[in-house]
Amino acid sequence: MADTMQFDLVSPERRLVSVPVREVRLPGTDGDLTAMPGHAPTIVTLRPGLVTVIGADGTASDFAVTGGFVEISADSVSLLAERGHRREEITQEIFNEMMTDAHRNRRAAETKRDAAGEDVVTAAVKLLADMEALGTHIGLDPNHPNFPD
């Protein structure tokens, strides 16, 4: 078995990284998981959180994602993020934009509760909570006064 696997992270705006890695830690919607060389093939949906990549040289890099999908195979991990940034790129301003979108999605789900169903509202509330946790985890304020109610 190989010691590394290929990792690619892309968002609609750009390719964030394409490198050989030892492991990738992922914030799955059904729980966190780690992909390593030899992993069984699977496709996972992601919740907002940090993706931690352990490079071939053993150094760690973090990427903040707002959600997305990841395809894992024995020799690669391909992640398509809804929105993604290197951890060091996340400013309070960028995070505020992400939180504004999450608040807007929650509000839209709540106004369409009868048509969309309670599961859609619950998912939107959970997404907002996951975004708040992401901000807190990386030291940003998830309670900006200008977020929509």
Side-chain angles (χ1 to χ4, degrees):
M1 175 173 28
D3 291 340
T4 62
M5 60 196 310
Q6 180 62 33
F7 174 68
D8 293 291
L9 170 56
V10 297
S11 69
E13 300 86 23
R14 63 187 171 148
R15 178 190 304 220
L16 281 103
V17 66
S18 179
V19 294
V21 298
R22 290 186 189 171
E23 67 182 75
V24 181
R25 299 176 195 149
L26 301 159
T29 55
D30 292 328
D32 294 348
L33 67 141
T34 300
M36 298 175 76
H39 196 286
T42 190
I43 295 176
V44 175
T45 56
L46 300 176
R47 70 177 194 289
L50 285 181
V51 174
T52 300
V53 178
I54 308 300
D57 63 357
T59 60
S61 300
D62 289 326
F63 299 87
V65 298
T66 59
F69 298 90
V70 63
E71 180 180 15
I72 303 170
S73 71
D75 58 0
S76 69
V77 175
S78 298
L79 192 158
L80 176 57
E82 291 172 359
R83 184 168 179 180
H85 296 276
R86 293 180 183 278
R87 165 58 192 99
E88 59 271 12
E89 292 176 356
I90 300 285
T91 62
Q92 185 68 48
E93 182 179 358
I94 291 171
F95 181 68
N96 289 350
E97 291 172 17
M98 297 164 130
M99 285 296 295
T100 297
D101 289 344
H103 278 280
R104 189 176 299 121
N105 289 340
R106 188 219 55 212
R107 197 173 57 247
E110 288 174 345
T111 61
K112 298 175 185 170
R113 182 184 311 260
D114 292 339
E118 197 61 35
D119 289 346
V120 173
V121 175
T122 300
V125 169
K126 179 159 180 3
L127 176 88
L128 179 58
D130 288 338
M131 284 298 302
E132 290 172 349
L134 170 62
T136 300
H137 182 75
I138 61 179
L140 299 173
D141 182 7
N143 300 307
H144 191 276
N146 294 329
F147 291 144
D149 289 331

